[in-house]
Amino acid sequence: ALPIFLMAGFGLVQGLTWSEADYYARGYIDQNGQLVTPVIEVNGRDYVRPASFVSGPNELGVDLDLLFFAAVSGIMVFGKKYRFVLSLAAGLFVAGLAATFSRSAFLGWFVGSFALGLVFWSAYRGKIQQGVVKPGGRTAILLIIGAFVVALVFLQSGFLRFIQDTILELQSEYHYLDSAEAVRFLLEHPGGVGMGMVEPKGALILQSIKAKYHVEGSIFQIAMEVGVWGLLLWVLFWSLALKRILRQWRALARPEVRVLVATAFTGWLAALVSFLFLPLMQSISLMVWLWFL
């Protein structure tokens, strides 16, 4: 567990104290000598988005999504036993997510959190109907407090203002335009452009091959490489897999397995949202996490 806390904590330290010079000095650069941590403007000042121990702030954001879902699932499954420690962990992961200023990870976090709420509400309602537990206000109070803390973290960091500005300027946002153009292209060319022919390319062996199209989102890259029908088969596979684990979740007896499965379900939902806009499926460290789950 210590490396997990270090990843989130180190990202916060970077966001609060590091400058561009610090990142250059410690080798946070790509093969072209450019920073892998983008510089944005926050509250009128330049801000270097932290990457912690991974390849960039967006990957870090999705990693922290997974950790947050695991912590919250643990709070709900283990009850009082680990509630305090897991609550601190969830707060740390949210603060780390806010420090990344990753909009795709935030959108994934929102979708995953909503799904996690539905999963546990369904289980809680079932226990009430069976008479196993009595409806009480303690859980509701804890959830309200947790939501208030999360909102405060996002607000104080400037992240919510960043999201608001993005929404107001959506028609000029690069990732929005990139995705819209990919949709238009696929409507006209549903067969895509072929395997290995889409940039950005993560594999070095493919980078020497001239690309026929460039799109950031991993989901659109799949469609471009194997066609719309190939993407639909891929989506069908994940839909069936997620539906199956969700259906079997309530029957699991061991609490640690229930936490693992809840994290898998919500984590993959969050990751798929990010994959719409970013080529994060090329990140081996992130994909190892997801495939393990």
Side-chain angles (χ1 to χ4, degrees):
L2 182 59
I4 292 174
F5 286 101
L6 287 176
M7 181 172 70
F10 185 48
L12 277 175
V13 170
Q14 286 180 324
L16 293 172
T17 65
W18 281 28
S19 65
E20 286 187 63
D22 293 314
Y23 285 95
Y24 275 114
R26 290 162 175 81
Y28 283 79
I29 55 177
D30 59 20
Q31 60 266 34
N32 298 318
Q34 298 178 330
L35 279 179
V36 297
T37 52
V39 181
I40 61 174
E41 185 176 305
V42 178
N43 297 326
R45 296 185 299 176
D46 286 343
Y47 176 76
V48 189
R49 297 166 59 193
S52 190
F53 302 134
V54 293
S55 61
N58 293 308
E59 180 190 342
L60 176 61
V62 179
D63 284 334
L64 292 169
D65 283 349
L66 297 175
L67 294 174
F68 175 82
F69 299 143
V72 174
S73 298
I75 293 170
M76 302 300 291
V77 170
F78 292 118
K80 296 179 180 179
K81 189 174 182 180
Y82 302 110
R83 180 175 292 166
F84 179 73
V85 173
L86 289 173
S87 296
L88 290 179
L92 175 63
F93 301 146
V94 164
L97 173 61
T100 67
F101 277 77
S102 175
R103 293 166 295 187
S104 61
F106 173 78
L107 186 59
W109 173 86
F110 185 83
V111 171
S113 296
F114 182 75
L116 190 63
L118 290 180
V119 168
F120 280 103
W121 167 247
S122 175
Y124 184 67
R125 185 177 60 180
K127 289 182 178 180
I128 293 176
Q129 292 173 347
Q130 295 170 9
V132 177
V133 297
K134 295 181 179 180
R138 179 178 298 179
T139 301
I141 292 173
L142 291 175
L143 289 174
I144 292 172
I145 293 174
F148 176 78
V149 171
V150 169
L152 187 62
V153 169
F154 284 140
L155 183 63
Q156 289 296 110
S157 66
F159 196 8
L160 285 184
R161 179 64 180 270
F162 188 59
I163 296 294
Q164 179 185 352
D165 292 343
T166 297
I167 295 173
L168 294 175
E169 300 171 5
L170 189 61
Q171 297 296 327
S172 61
E173 286 289 336
Y174 169 74
H175 289 293
Y176 172 81
L177 296 173
D178 183 58
S179 300
E181 176 59 26
V183 171
R184 185 197 63 78
F185 183 90
L186 287 168
L187 288 174
E188 297 177 359
H189 307 87
V193 298
M195 293 287 287
M197 296 297 176
V198 184
E199 288 180 333
K201 300 177 182 180
L204 292 175
I205 195 172
L206 295 178
Q207 291 183 8
S208 60
I209 302 173
K210 186 177 180 181
K212 294 183 179 179
Y213 199 86
H214 182 286
V215 63
E216 292 288 316
S218 289
I219 302 295
F220 289 113
Q221 287 184 341
I222 293 173
M224 291 293 178
E225 293 206 346
V226 298
V228 172
W229 294 112
L231 174 64
L232 290 177
L233 286 174
W234 189 86
V235 171
L236 177 62
F237 166 76
W238 280 113
S239 299
L240 293 174
L242 293 175
K243 179 181 178 181
R244 181 177 181 181
I245 66 172
L246 180 61
R247 186 173 63 246
Q248 297 179 347
W249 178 78
R250 290 178 62 178
L252 296 171
R254 296 175 60 186
E256 60 271 21
V257 179
R258 297 188 77 197
V259 170
L260 187 70
V261 172
T263 306
F265 177 72
T266 53
W268 265 101
L269 286 179
L272 289 171
V273 171
S274 294
F275 293 160
L276 276 172
F277 305 101
L278 297 170
L280 293 181
M281 287 186 75
Q282 297 179 8
S283 167
I284 185 65
S285 61
L286 173 60
M287 294 311 297
V288 165
W289 275 64
L290 288 169
W291 281 116
F292 166 75
L293 290 170

